[in-house]
Amino acid sequence: MNPSKKGWLKEFLHYRKNLFVRSKEFEKTKKGQHPDQSFYGMIQPTGIMYGYPVHVYDLELDYGWKKLDTVKVLLADSFINIAELYASAPVDTADAFYRLMYETMDSVNHFYNAVYPEISTSFTNWLGQKKDVLLITEKILDKRLDIIFKKSSNFWTDFFNHSQLFLDIYIFGQWSHTNPDRVLLEFFKDEKEELSYTAVKVMAAAAHANKHVESEEEKLFEHFIENSGLPAEKRRVANEYFGHGLAIQDISVAESDPWVIRKYFLELAILTVWSDKMVEEIEWEFLNNFNRSLGFSGEDFDSSMIAVEGFVLQNWHQLDSLQLKKDHQAISEDYVGRIARITEKYINRIKLEMSDDHELIEILRKGKVSELSKDEKEILRHKFIGILKAIPSFRVIALPKDFLSYEILLRVIPKSVIAEMAGG
């Protein structure tokens, strides 16, 4: 499959069909307590909500695609996953899954034509004959990503523009299970504009948190104003916000707003503050206050910090712009410490999970008296990661499996529990 060539989407849908059983297992691992959490569990690991779209779950190999082609496949894949999440009936067979994917692409075409008229594409040729649905989708995705990538110029503009694709997926998730009339169509258009506007307000507030705005942060806001398509009054207000700063109460996000949107804005603020090398005390205060204003707990905040840091650690080699701003060792130590503090709160849960695993206990007891083999350490590594996923804070976020080595996990799992299990 070559996403640069015509017909790639049909190949991708057949590829996904052949992976139907494995995809169902993946869906189970991302199951949250409610649909918003499941949505987050599917989208967060891809990086698309952070402005760093890097990972397509089912593509384990590096095919050497250009960045734009990878994002194109990721976007199509995300639309499929979300459509399946919101499907009115369970999808039980590979053939039914293919039909859902095909219908989803048709829905994507109507969605973009209605909500993003600037990239609308005709469904018929000049003779009035219907065009191929999947070829239309390819054309629309090309147009959408052309807008995103042609505006690329620096870290901040990439960050903002690429994160807008998350809003595409979120609004499509709402669109996909409605029958939008003219009134609903205007609602979705307004929602797209308002969420985008709120996103940049969050980023501006986070950039102002230390009372000092970097030149790159200023360029971000200038770029947004130039390309936002906002009405003149909103542009004027936006310029005032950036010129004088804005308080948390000026950010129009309420506790009653959807969980996944509040989570998105929180993690957008975290990444904005966090990407500027050192996080100052006043910035921590801003993030904690913003977290509380969204109706989240301290544990929710820790979970979001772990989500952001874990994503960066898992994909470090692909995040060139962040490598210039952050130190890998410092991130690693912060991340390990943060996870260890949470696992200490769940000692009983961890103990219960471990006590039911006889193979794990047997290997731990062996490790008490002799050196474990490489294979045995790898078995423990996978089992420890599985135990972490049983903790609510880690259930729907992506843990950086490549980073979480056996040695690091020994620092994360409470030593008292390991000693108890190994002691028999």
Side-chain angles (χ1 to χ4, degrees):
M1 183 180 76
N2 184 348
S4 293
K5 292 186 177 180
K6 185 177 180 179
W8 70 267
L9 186 55
K10 184 175 181 179
E11 291 183 47
F12 179 64
L13 263 56
H14 281 289
Y15 177 84
R16 281 293 311 267
K17 178 183 176 182
N18 292 334
L19 291 174
F20 173 70
V21 174
R22 201 177 94 182
S23 297
K24 296 300 286 184
E25 291 303 311
F26 165 67
E27 187 183 333
K28 288 178 186 176
T29 67
K30 301 302 176 186
K31 197 74 173 176
Q33 294 179 331
H34 50 75
D36 266 11
Q37 286 192 347
S38 298
F39 180 107
Y40 175 85
M42 290 178 175
I43 298 301
Q44 187 270 338
T46 69
I48 208 162
M49 68 186 291
Y50 301 142
Y52 291 96
V54 294
H55 181 63
V56 183
Y57 167 74
D58 283 324
L59 297 176
E60 294 183 339
L61 300 177
D62 181 1
Y63 290 95
W65 294 337
K66 297 176 183 176
K67 183 178 180 182
L68 186 147
D69 289 337
T70 300
V71 177
K72 194 189 302 181
V73 176
L74 172 55
L75 198 52
D77 191 60
S78 298
F79 285 133
I80 291 166
N81 289 333
I82 297 311
E84 186 179 14
L85 172 65
Y86 293 129
S88 57
V91 181
D92 297 322
T93 67
D95 286 337
F97 183 53
Y98 186 85
R99 284 195 299 273
L100 178 136
M101 290 191 292
Y102 186 89
E103 290 167 0
T104 298
M105 295 302 102
D106 189 42
S107 185
V108 165
N109 297 343
H110 285 86
F111 165 72
Y112 273 120
N113 268 15
V115 179
Y116 293 79
E118 63 272 23
I119 61 171
S120 63
T121 301
S122 175
F123 294 168
T124 59
N125 62 22
W126 65 279
L127 292 173
Q129 299 167 327
K130 286 187 176 181
K131 295 180 183 177
D132 181 274
V133 167
L134 301 184
L135 293 181
I136 293 172
T137 310
E138 289 181 12
K139 185 70 174 176
I140 287 175
L141 294 182
D142 282 340
K143 288 182 177 181
R144 179 66 179 126
L145 293 179
D146 182 57
I147 291 174
I148 295 293
F149 277 80
K150 78 178 182 182
K151 294 177 180 177
S152 176
S153 60
N154 60 36
F155 168 78
W156 289 105
T157 55
D158 287 357
F159 175 29
F160 174 73
N161 284 323
H162 295 170
S163 68
Q164 295 300 288
L165 295 176
F166 168 78
L167 297 180
D168 286 17
I169 297 166
Y170 172 73
I171 297 171
F172 172 76
Q174 297 177 301
W175 168 279
S176 64
H177 56 278
T178 62
N179 294 307
D181 54 20
R182 183 171 295 182
V183 174
L184 266 178
L185 175 58
E186 290 306 312
F187 166 79
F188 286 122
K189 285 182 177 179
D190 290 344
E191 184 180 40
K192 176 197 73 169
E193 179 185 293
E194 196 58 38
L195 288 174
S196 179
Y197 184 54
T198 302
V200 88
K201 283 164 66 175
V202 168
M203 294 165 75
H208 270 278
N210 64 353
K211 311 302 181 185
H212 176 67
V213 180
E214 303 292 338
S215 60
E216 283 190 331
E217 295 166 339
E218 188 171 356
K219 288 177 184 175
L220 162 70
F221 214 79
E222 289 173 355
H223 170 86
F224 172 74
I225 295 300
E226 289 170 6
N227 297 281
S228 63
L230 290 172
E233 178 60 16
K234 275 194 173 178
R235 291 191 188 196
R236 184 190 66 77
V237 173
N239 275 311
E240 283 187 9
Y241 278 145
F242 196 73
H244 305 291
L246 66 163
I248 287 172
Q249 59 264 30
D250 295 319
I251 301 172
S252 52
V253 186
E255 290 186 32
S256 57
D257 284 335
W259 181 91
V260 72
I261 285 296
R262 290 182 287 129
K263 196 75 166 173
Y264 167 63
F265 287 135
L266 173 61
E267 293 179 12
L268 204 56
I270 288 171
L271 193 53
T272 302
V273 166
W274 180 92
S275 63
D276 189 22
K277 294 186 179 177
M278 294 296 295
V279 180
E280 301 172 26
E281 187 62 36
I282 194 170
E283 292 173 315
W284 282 120
E285 184 180 342
F286 165 81
L287 289 175
N288 278 298
N289 288 338
F290 186 44
N291 179 69
R292 284 192 293 272
S293 77
L294 296 172
F296 288 136
S297 66
E299 191 168 317
D300 291 323
F301 179 72
D302 284 340
S303 177
S304 283
M305 285 296 300
I306 287 169
V308 171
E309 291 174 340
F311 169 76
V312 171
L313 288 169
Q314 177 67 19
N315 301 285
W316 181 256
H317 64 289
Q318 299 184 61
L319 304 178
D320 296 341
S321 53
L322 272 185
Q323 289 177 27
L324 300 174
K325 292 174 171 285
K326 297 295 286 190
D327 176 69
H328 187 273
Q329 184 63 31
I331 302 169
S332 302
E333 291 302 317
D334 287 348
Y335 183 78
V336 170
R338 212 179 303 280
I339 287 189
R341 287 194 294 276
I342 288 181
T343 57
E344 284 293 335
K345 298 177 183 177
Y346 287 92
I347 282 183
N348 291 336
R349 173 76 64 91
I350 292 171
K351 193 182 298 184
L352 180 63
E353 293 288 329
M354 292 177 74
S355 63
D356 289 337
D357 193 326
H358 300 296
E359 183 184 23
L360 181 147
I361 293 173
E362 185 179 329
I363 295 175
L364 286 177
R365 288 176 178 173
K366 179 183 176 182
K368 190 176 181 181
V369 296
S370 63
E371 178 69 21
L372 295 179
S373 69
K374 185 177 179 181
D375 287 343
E376 288 168 331
K377 289 179 180 179
E378 186 63 12
I379 290 171
L380 283 183
R381 189 178 83 88
H382 281 284
K383 287 182 178 293
F384 284 156
I385 290 173
I387 288 167
L388 289 180
K389 295 297 287 184
I391 295 174
S393 299
F394 307 138
R395 189 166 292 148
V396 295
I397 65 174
L399 292 171
K401 294 181 181 179
D402 294 343
F403 169 77
L404 291 173
S405 65
Y406 168 74
E407 290 74 19
I408 286 177
L409 285 163
L410 286 180
R411 295 170 56 192
V412 165
I413 303 295
K415 289 182 175 58
S416 60
V417 179
I418 292 178
E420 182 178 335
M421 294 296 149

